[in-house]
Amino acid sequence: MNNTKKPTGQMMDLTSGNIKKQLVLFSIPIFLGTLLQQLYNVIDAVVAGRLVNDSALSAIGVSVPIYLLFVSIILGFAIGITILLAQFFGAKQFEQIKRLIATMSIFLLALGLVMAFGGAVLAKPLLQLTKTPDELLEIACIYLRVVFLGIPFSILYNLLGAIMRSYGETKLPLYALVVSSVINLILNVIFVKNGGGVVGIAVSTIIAQAISSIYLLIQLQKKFPMTIPKKEDWGFDKGLFALSLKICMPIIIQQLAVFMGMLIVQGFINQLGNPSIGGMTAASRIEAFILLPVQALGNSLSIFAGQNIGANEMERMKRGTRFGVVLSIAVTITLSAALLLGGKQILGLIIGNNKAMILSGYSYFKVCLWFYPVNAIIYGLGGVLSGAGDTLIAGIYSLASIMVKMLVTILFIGKLGLLAIAIASCCGWCVSSVIVALRYKSNRWQTKSVIKTI
């Protein structure tokens, strides 16, 4: 059913206008928002390493991959919902938008409660499964159990952010994260200075996430009232839920593969000792920042593709894809050069004066920085394919990548240590880029629009 009555609010229609200007302006708030999300982890690491002790830093380092494994499911649903909403928005199907929001809100609320309590119960077994050192086990378990309780707020934020970004509104999610990041930092320092330790760090993160979620909920009701489901819209639409699963499940598999890979690799790193754990904890935080611009452009291209495919503007979508990928490559080359020149100093900002940890982290960078531009192809073309509704390929190239990473790690970790982790990452990226490039060139993704299935 089509409804041409448009909701109010600051929406960006990406189906017309200057492509380069739109993609850059649209990507900047997404980049800054993702940057602030990464700051949650970096702030926690800096506070733990500098205001608590090295063991607290390492405990958070071994806990985060487990937490992100659960969050990956949330992110998979959020990305899938964004794709569906973007195509519905491009086709101006606003009644479908309201029914989809109602259906997925009901489902994700139940999922959040299950994940919060299930994660808290499974925290210690999962840490033991990843061979967490005995001296870190208890403190890591405490941290992990607390942060799991905040998962419902993470779900709420990601759902609201998905809704807004699909409409072209990227500034409000950014504003929410600016406020919550500042609050997270302030509360971290206050709690730790008063003896809160890793529990205080975890509680700070939960409070900050809750504030950002509540802010976005208020803004959605205020600025986009026509997209808020009314009483008669609230129900569980089985057809839309099935369509959502069709789109979301390959993305969830992709996200799970990424974070499961992180979890397995963390298990190998945990066996190398505290210097390697701390060094890789810091290195992984910095690497996440290096890849933020290409991830932001990839997310922008996904929404850009979704809206233009919904509006049947295929040539415009392809022009935007070419520009986005070239820009991503240029940005990653620049950031890789900066890391080559100042990697040790950047690691020192997180770690402090622990030379063993700094050398461990930099040994990883010396290999990976030459391959970061490959991620521009993965995130750029992968984003377009997902925006088109061709989400199965995301699961395929992610699983292929993790299999290659695991094989290389298992073969060489004993001889090369962290260098094996670096080589494995680069091999995985190269495999993913080849798969996604071949799929895009085949043009088979052009038949995957979800609008055609309604």
Side-chain angles (χ1 to χ4, degrees):
M1 175 179 177
N2 286 356
N3 186 344
T4 57
K5 187 177 182 180
K6 296 184 180 181
T8 60
Q10 297 180 348
M11 296 185 173
M12 181 181 287
D13 189 339
L14 301 174
T15 61
S16 61
N18 187 299
I19 293 175
K20 295 180 180 179
K21 181 179 179 181
Q22 283 183 338
L23 279 175
V24 172
L25 293 178
F26 190 65
S27 297
I28 289 173
I30 293 179
F31 165 71
L32 293 175
T34 311
L35 176 67
L36 288 171
Q37 284 183 314
Q38 291 295 335
L39 278 175
Y40 274 102
N41 289 334
V42 172
I43 288 171
D44 289 353
V46 171
V47 171
R50 289 185 170 270
L51 299 183
V52 186
N53 51 49
D54 289 342
S55 292
L57 172 63
S58 296
I60 291 176
V62 300
S63 301
V64 167
I66 296 174
Y67 176 71
L68 291 180
L69 185 65
F70 283 70
V71 172
S72 66
I73 298 174
I74 302 170
L75 294 176
F77 277 111
I79 295 170
I81 291 169
T82 301
I83 293 168
L84 286 168
L85 290 174
Q87 291 201 22
F88 287 147
F89 178 76
K92 305 300 181 281
Q93 296 182 6
F94 296 109
E95 289 301 316
Q96 293 281 46
I97 287 176
K98 288 191 286 187
R99 287 199 293 271
L100 177 63
I101 291 173
T103 297
M104 296 310 294
S105 295
I106 294 170
F107 171 73
L108 291 175
L109 174 61
L111 178 65
L113 295 175
V114 171
M115 292 177 69
F117 291 102
V121 170
L122 294 173
K124 190 169 185 177
L126 289 173
L127 286 166
Q128 292 172 326
L129 186 63
T130 58
K131 296 181 173 60
T132 300
D134 291 339
E135 65 269 21
L136 300 177
L137 184 59
E138 290 304 318
I139 188 173
C141 185
I142 292 171
Y143 173 81
L144 199 53
R145 283 172 174 165
V146 176
V147 294
F148 269 132
L149 297 179
I151 278 186
F153 293 115
S154 179
I155 285 181
L156 180 58
Y157 170 80
N158 280 283
L159 174 61
L160 296 172
I163 293 169
M164 291 184 175
R165 280 188 287 271
S166 67
Y167 301 157
E169 172 55 77
T170 55
K171 293 180 181 178
L172 289 176
L174 172 61
Y175 298 155
L177 281 172
V178 169
V179 174
S180 63
S181 295
V182 173
I183 291 173
N184 186 39
L185 175 59
I186 293 172
L187 290 180
N188 261 332
V189 175
I190 291 174
F191 288 153
V192 169
K193 287 288 188 180
N194 286 277
V198 295
V199 173
I201 293 173
V203 171
S204 299
T205 301
I206 292 174
I207 293 173
Q209 287 177 334
I211 290 172
S212 65
S213 300
I214 294 170
Y215 170 79
L216 284 184
L217 183 59
I218 293 171
Q219 292 301 316
L220 185 68
Q221 293 173 331
K222 180 181 178 181
K223 297 184 179 293
F224 306 105
M226 291 298 292
T227 64
I228 300 294
K230 298 179 181 177
K231 185 177 181 180
E232 58 270 22
D233 296 316
W234 281 99
F236 197 82
D237 189 313
K238 294 181 180 179
L240 281 176
F241 181 67
L243 179 60
S244 298
L245 289 182
K246 179 182 177 181
I247 295 298
C248 293
M249 287 310 296
I251 300 175
I252 291 172
I253 292 172
Q254 176 197 28
Q255 296 292 319
L256 283 172
V258 170
F259 292 112
M260 181 63 78
M262 290 175 57
L263 191 60
I264 295 172
V265 169
Q266 187 67 52
F268 286 108
I269 295 171
N270 290 348
Q271 300 176 56
L272 299 177
N274 202 37
S276 294
I277 295 173
M280 271 304 299
T281 297
S284 63
R285 302 293 186 273
I286 296 168
E287 181 175 87
F289 278 103
I290 295 293
L291 297 179
L292 281 182
V294 296
Q295 291 173 353
L297 279 164
N299 289 337
S300 298
L301 284 171
S302 179
I303 298 169
F304 179 84
Q307 286 196 16
N308 280 278
I309 290 171
N312 200 29
E313 294 284 349
M314 298 300 293
E315 286 304 315
R316 174 181 171 82
M317 188 275 296
K318 291 182 179 180
R319 291 198 303 272
T321 300
R322 288 192 292 270
F323 170 74
V325 171
V326 170
L327 180 60
S328 293
I329 292 173
V331 170
T332 49
I333 290 174
T334 302
L335 293 175
S336 296
L339 191 60
L340 177 65
L341 296 174
K344 291 181 181 179
Q345 291 78 8
I346 297 171
L347 283 164
L349 294 176
I350 297 177
I351 295 171
N353 297 320
N354 192 315
K355 293 183 179 180
M357 287 187 177
I358 290 174
L359 289 175
S360 292
Y362 192 67
S363 68
Y364 175 83
F365 282 145
K366 283 193 299 185
V367 176
C368 289
L369 63 85
W370 301 102
F371 290 85
Y372 288 144
V374 174
N375 287 274
I377 298 173
I378 300 171
Y379 287 104
L381 297 184
V384 171
L385 295 176
S386 294
D390 189 14
T391 57
L392 181 60
I393 194 67
I396 293 173
Y397 72 71
S398 295
L399 287 174
S401 175
I402 196 59
M403 289 175 65
V404 170
K405 288 181 181 180
M406 290 305 97
L407 178 61
V408 174
T409 299
I410 291 169
L411 290 175
F412 298 107
I413 188 72
K415 296 180 180 179
L416 302 178
L418 283 184
L419 183 59
I421 305 296
I423 295 173
S425 295
C426 297
C427 291
W429 294 333
C430 290
V431 169
S432 290
S433 66
V434 170
I435 293 173
V436 75
L438 290 175
R439 181 63 173 184
Y440 181 80
K441 189 176 181 180
S442 73
N443 288 325
R444 294 178 183 176
W445 49 272
Q446 295 186 29
T447 65
K448 302 295 182 177
S449 173
V450 298
I451 297 301
K452 296 177 181 179
T453 67
I454 299 297

